[in-house]
Amino acid sequence: NAGVTQTPKFQVLKTGQSMTLQCAQDMNHEYMSWYRQDPGMGLRLIHYSVGAGITDQGEVPNGYNVSRSTTEDFPLRLLSAAPSQTSVYFCASRRPVTGELFFGEGSRLTVL
Amino acid sequence: AQSVSQHNHHVILSEAASLELGCNYSYGGTVNLFWYVQYPGQHLQLLLKYFSGDPLVKGIKGFEAEFIKSKFSFNLRKPSVQWSDTAEYFCAVTPPNTGGFKTIFGAGTRLFVKA
């Protein structure tokens, strides 16, 4: 049971570089989301998707793009990385009805 | 701004002590409530949830939480903590009128249990 898989686990970027965090789930969940976790601030919702082709903004969407071409995949793109985007990123999918979120193991991103 | 507040950022307890972690939210209407736990080096996992019915809900590992609607609270409790409960605990709320599409988290409480 893979659940939610994120790659890479660690990444170091220079300011201005771009990159994509990958997220895949094998539970056939329609809903997927991206959070960032920062000390003292908990998890903040970046973007979410309620199904293939449908995405929407969360609490802190600026500087991030998402797309959802398939049910399984929900990549998060940083077009021009900034030091303020140094964080741990978590992808999650949601079980219908119960609303339980299933999280990936996280991706630690450092922007220099 | 509407939010989820966790009162304690850090809690240190000795084994066998009782635990209560506070959580308040500021959304009106019907909400869904959750507690998640993140053990060191692991990803978040669900401890318990409340949707409706009995306001006292029981979760895994002996944890329970009580929903008090009049106080907009959903406090987490455990009668006797163990060293293995050392973790970060997050309260989360799915606000009304979002179709269940947004889950908002509190800032988290780091619990350290001394053996």
Side-chain angles (χ1 to χ4, degrees):
Chain A
N1 252 355
V4 179
T5 304
Q6 289 181 235
T7 57
K9 288 187 169 50
F10 300 94
Q11 183 72 49
V12 179
L13 291 178
K14 295 181 180 178
T15 297
Q17 286 185 315
S18 63
M19 78 158 298
T20 298
L21 299 176
Q22 301 291 345
C23 176
Q25 53 97 4
D26 62 0
M27 296 173 282
N28 202 34
H29 290 162
E30 292 291 333
Y31 177 92
M32 296 183 73
S33 54
W34 277 101
Y35 289 86
R36 58 177 290 174
Q37 183 181 24
D38 301 291
M41 304 188 76
L43 283 82
R44 291 180 291 169
L45 181 63
I46 304 172
H47 285 286
Y48 65 96
S49 168
V50 300
I54 307 170
T55 64
D56 205 347
Q57 297 180 348
E59 302 169 274
V60 288
N62 292 340
Y64 307 95
N65 279 354
V66 292
S67 60
R68 185 92 180 273
S69 55
T70 66
T71 299
E72 293 77 21
D73 300 299
F74 190 43
L76 179 72
R77 296 184 186 83
L78 286 72
L79 297 179
S80 178
S84 60
Q85 293 178 303
T86 292
S87 187
V88 181
Y89 292 85
F90 287 96
C91 179
S93 71
R94 192 187 71 173
R95 174 178 284 166
V97 180
T98 69
E100 177 182 358
L101 292 174
F102 293 85
F103 287 87
E105 292 187 352
S107 299
R108 184 174 293 274
L109 175 66
T110 301
V111 183
L112 303 175
Chain B
Q2 295 182 316
S3 66
V4 180
S5 300
Q6 293 183 239
H7 312 304
N8 307 99
H9 293 299
H10 294 92
V11 173
I12 301 174
L13 295 173
S14 298
E15 274 194 317
S18 64
L19 170 72
E20 180 160 3
L21 301 182
C23 174
N24 286 89
Y25 60 93
S26 61
Y27 302 95
T30 301
V31 296
N32 297 329
L33 299 157
F34 306 83
W35 276 97
Y36 285 84
V37 61
Q38 186 177 29
Y39 297 103
Q42 297 186 26
H43 56 84
L44 283 87
Q45 57 188 283
L46 182 69
L47 262 183
L48 47 78
K49 63 182 183 292
Y50 173 80
F51 277 25
S52 63
D54 189 344
L56 185 63
V57 293
K58 296 189 184 299
I60 61 172
K61 304 186 179 184
F63 286 90
E64 64 179 31
E66 184 176 13
F67 169 53
I68 302 179
K69 188 173 183 178
S70 61
K71 295 185 177 180
F72 297 85
S73 70
F74 190 55
N75 292 355
L76 181 70
R77 299 196 291 249
K78 186 171 184 178
S80 176
V81 295
Q82 301 173 315
W83 176 80
S84 58
D85 293 324
T86 294
E88 190 161 16
Y89 294 81
F90 294 92
C91 180
V93 177
T94 301
N97 304 321
T98 63
F101 297 146
K102 291 187 178 181
T103 301
I104 306 301
F105 284 78
T109 297
R110 285 187 182 272
L111 171 65
F112 180 72
V113 180
K114 298 183 290 184

